[in-house]
Amino acid sequence: MSDHSEMVYTTSDGMDYPAHERQYKNFIKIGLIAAGTVATIVILLAIFLG
């Protein structure tokens, strides 16, 4: 049978936390930029077509 013990992240190799946190911050930044862009487009549509 395979070993189903819990994984201990503090001792596991191959976990690149600085790269993970950097990617997460970039993801949040891109999400905020995209949301702002969509909001701007919707506001401009309301102004010019409303």
Side-chain angles (χ1 to χ4, degrees):
M1 292 266 160
S2 62
D3 184 20
H4 292 291
S5 64
E6 290 187 32
M7 181 181 252
V8 179
Y9 289 106
T10 57
T11 60
S12 64
D13 293 328
M15 299 297 279
D16 191 4
Y17 286 112
H20 173 76
E21 289 180 3
R22 188 172 51 249
Q23 182 67 27
Y24 177 74
K25 288 179 183 178
N26 287 336
F27 176 76
I28 295 299
K29 187 186 301 182
I30 290 171
L32 288 173
I33 291 170
T37 302
V38 170
T40 302
I41 290 171
V42 169
I43 290 170
L44 288 173
L45 283 171
I47 291 171
F48 290 113
L49 297 178

